[in-house]
Amino acid sequence: PAVIVAVTDGDRLLLSKYAGRSYASYALIAGYTEIGETMEETVHREVMEEVGLRVTNLRYYKSQPWGVDGNVLLGFFCDLDGSDEIHIDENELSMAAWYPRDALPAHDDGISLTREMIRIFGEGKEPK
């Protein structure tokens, strides 16, 4: 299984872009669960590894089958815990930045859990 993580800081959402992949659109933090790891541990680890941030108040949103490799994605919202200074893993991401709720540069495509979660945040309907 894998996680999709919407990291929030008040009215800001962390968006990223993958490095070295054909998918060039905005994305949320994502990653696969390691053997023996809970989904919550995966959220904390992936966010720390990819952008160097700590998070708290994890809230499960929903899941989506991931047909690309037969896995399932579990979507989580969480809050920034501490400094908002981003330190990206350049092997994983080409960029990451905070975007205000009213100026998100990505829109729901009706297909991906990532885009739905971005829309939910933009509408102020994310789980609290």
Side-chain angles (χ1 to χ4, degrees):
V3 297
I4 297 293
V5 186
V7 180
T8 67
D9 180 30
D11 282 338
R12 300 188 305 165
L13 179 66
L14 181 68
L15 296 179
S16 64
K17 289 189 177 184
Y18 299 121
R21 295 189 196 174
S22 59
Y23 184 83
S25 297
Y26 287 95
L28 300 174
I29 302 301
Y32 291 101
T33 301
E34 295 180 353
I35 294 173
E37 188 175 57
T38 68
M39 301 312 290
E40 295 81 5
E41 289 168 338
T42 303
V43 169
H44 287 283
R45 178 181 54 76
E46 287 292 340
V47 173
M48 179 55 73
E49 285 179 1
E50 293 188 10
V51 290
L53 299 172
R54 296 190 186 282
V55 294
T56 190
N57 190 26
L58 279 62
R59 285 112 48 215
Y60 173 74
Y61 174 62
K62 68 189 273 189
S63 65
Q64 177 184 35
W66 190 240
V68 173
D69 58 12
N71 280 305
V72 63
L73 300 175
L74 288 92
F76 287 86
F77 283 88
C78 58
D79 300 329
L80 178 67
D81 184 18
S83 172
D84 68 351
E85 187 175 343
I86 299 166
H87 301 278
I88 68 167
D89 176 347
E90 293 178 354
N91 293 318
E92 293 284 333
L93 303 176
S94 64
M95 63 79 62
W98 294 103
Y99 290 86
R101 188 183 304 270
D102 61 357
L104 296 171
H107 303 286
D108 195 348
D109 59 10
I111 299 170
S112 77
L113 180 58
T114 296
R115 292 298 184 91
E116 178 181 328
M117 291 173 67
I118 293 169
R119 176 181 53 80
I120 291 296
F121 179 81
E123 294 173 352
K125 296 179 180 176
E126 73 275 11
K128 302 293 182 189

